[in-house]
Amino acid sequence: MVGIGCLVLAGFAATGCQKKPVAPGGAGMQPMPVQTVAVTLSPVPQSSEYVATIKSRRSATIQSQVEGKLTQIRVSSGDRVKAGQLLMEVDPQHQVATVDSQRATERQKKALYDYNVSRARPAAQTL
């Protein structure tokens, strides 16, 4: 068995070492023409330009507590702010109109209440 294995191995070695004939006339792969350049010493630029977006590590969303139009913004993006610092001003006309409307509704309901109470007293006295 060992003898047959050695014989097969010798056969592979003998056939693998033979040169294969090359077909004449360019049937195989042709070498690609290349251009060479001599290496020269030249300076390398010290800076590069990149396109990027910078985002801060910490940010906050600013939102007013009341509804209305902003009349003035007192800070810019990137400014440092302190607690209690005025950041923006909201046009007070909307809030003033809302308060006036609520006060008018309150006066109307109080007047209706007073009217109903004054009418109820004489009716109660007649019973």
Side-chain angles (χ1 to χ4, degrees), residues 11-69:
F12 284 142
T15 58
C17 293
Q18 295 177 355
K19 289 188 177 185
K20 296 182 179 163
V22 177
M29 290 181 47
Q30 296 293 320
M32 294 290 297
V34 294
Q35 187 177 28
T36 60
V37 177
V39 176
T40 59
L41 185 62
S42 63
V44 176
Q46 295 296 321
S47 66
S48 299
E49 293 183 19
Y50 299 97
V51 176
T53 301
I54 298 174
K55 291 186 178 183
S56 64
R57 291 184 184 176
R58 294 183 293 171
S59 63
T61 301
I62 298 175
Q63 185 175 350
S64 65
Q65 294 178 340
V66 294
E67 184 181 333
K69 294 180 182 178

Side-chain angles (χ1 to χ4, degrees), residues 99-111:
V99 169
D100 289 345
S101 174
Q102 294 295 324
R103 285 184 179 155
T105 301
E106 178 187 20
R107 285 193 300 270
Q108 178 188 16
K109 290 185 178 188
K110 173 112 171 66

